[in-house]
Amino acid sequence: MTVARRTLPWDWYSGAIPDNVVVDETAYVETSYSFRLYRSEEPVGMRIGRGASTYLGTMFDVGPRGRVSLGDYTLVHGARIICDAKIEIGDYTLISWNVVLLDTYRVPLDPAARRAELRCVPFRFPRRLAADVPARPVRIGRNVWIGFDSCVLPGVCIGEGAVVGARSVVVEDIPAYAVVAGNPARVIRRLEPKGGDRGC
Ligand SMILES: CC(C)(COP(=O)(O)OP(=O)(O)OC[C@H]1O[C@@H](n2cnc3c(N)ncnc32)[C@H](O)[C@@H]1OP(=O)(O)O)[C@@H](O)C(=O)NCCC(=O)NCCS
């Protein structure tokens, strides 16, 4: 049995949504170009929740064992998500443009090993880095806001309601409702959690 290609009627790119990506029927994917580097072979490589949106410039660079989940009403406005293990993004989270979330560096830290890896690239098809570097899952909680040009490094967990200031580099876990900024990101103040949702 052949399964129909899941193309997007409004898409400018001639790609399709990969079969192992579960997209809620109320979610919005601006372009299938976001999956140009997606190659997860997991049964479900990615989930995009209810009312979630991914816009132009978002790139899901997901390796064969990678799994990504975007929570309900989460909005990704042009981020690069590099995942070889697991990246979870909670409900109502806002990720601004040029943010990089990564659970792996994909290159060895040791200069000789890195040089050896770069020597292999020309002989691979497709031409890409494929070093065996361990990945450490990343978890972004609910209702988090990550400002533009920020970077979240492997193994980091960001708590519910936290805010990451523009151009920050998040190197360690961030507590819930903290506002952090800078490189490395440090807490600049704390927010009061307020209950109750306002409808739209
Ligand atoms: C994080 C942010 C929300 C904080 O706003 P705020 O609470 O009003 O913070 P303030 O402007 O009062 O700054 C508090 C301190 O943090 C510093 N700071 C604030 N944002 C910073 C940032 N992005 N990087 C480094 N330092 C920052 C300020 O210089 C100030 O330092 P000081 O106390 O030494 O003077 C805001 O600065 C920010 O970065 N917003 C992201 C905007 C964005 O990405 N928009 C994209 C649209 S989705």
Side-chain angles (χ1 to χ4, degrees):
M1 192 179 80
T2 51
V3 179
R5 286 177 87 234
R6 290 190 297 166
T7 54
L8 303 165
W10 49 82
D11 206 347
W12 52 270
Y13 184 64
S14 59
I17 308 289
D19 292 342
N20 65 348
V21 175
V22 176
V23 186
D24 187 272
E25 59 180 21
T26 61
Y28 175 73
V29 174
E30 184 164 342
T31 173
S32 61
Y33 191 71
S34 292
F35 293 94
R36 178 81 177 76
L37 300 177
Y38 176 95
R39 53 204 182 279
S40 175
E41 294 166 6
E42 291 291 305
V44 175
M46 185 158 172
R47 278 183 200 280
I48 304 183
R50 183 160 22 107
S53 316
T54 73
Y55 294 105
L56 186 67
T58 299
M59 193 54 89
F60 299 113
D61 181 347
V62 183
R65 299 277 71 82
R67 283 173 297 147
V68 175
S69 64
L70 301 189
D72 295 346
Y73 304 102
T74 277
L75 193 153
V76 184
H77 210 301
R80 192 171 187 109
I81 297 178
I82 301 168
C83 175
D84 279 349
K86 194 175 186 188
I87 297 187
E88 287 176 279
I89 302 171
D91 301 340
Y92 305 103
T93 280
L94 171 59
I95 300 183
S96 187
W97 51 89
N98 293 334
V99 166
V100 178
L101 310 179
L102 65 163
D103 71 3
T104 172
Y105 294 123
R106 290 204 177 133
V107 285
L109 219 49
D110 171 64
R114 201 165 55 244
R115 202 170 57 233
E117 170 63 16
L118 287 168
R119 265 202 307 267
C120 292
V121 170
F123 302 102
R124 293 200 185 119
F125 182 79
R127 278 177 94 121
R128 63 165 62 107
L129 296 165
D132 192 13
V133 176
R136 287 183 294 146
V138 166
R139 199 166 65 77
I140 317 284
R142 286 165 61 88
N143 216 178
V144 169
W145 175 26
I146 304 184
F148 69 87
D149 283 348
S150 293
C151 178
V152 177
L153 298 183
V156 163
C157 204
I158 301 185
E160 174 169 357
V163 175
V164 175
R167 300 213 156 125
S168 299
V169 178
V170 185
V171 301
E172 61 188 7
D173 291 358
I174 304 295
Y177 299 99
V179 180
V180 302
N183 178 6
R186 297 284 182 237
V187 176
I188 58 171
R189 64 194 181 91
R190 308 222 175 232
L191 301 169
E192 280 299 317
K194 293 191 183 105
D197 269 353
R198 289 184 206 158
C200 58

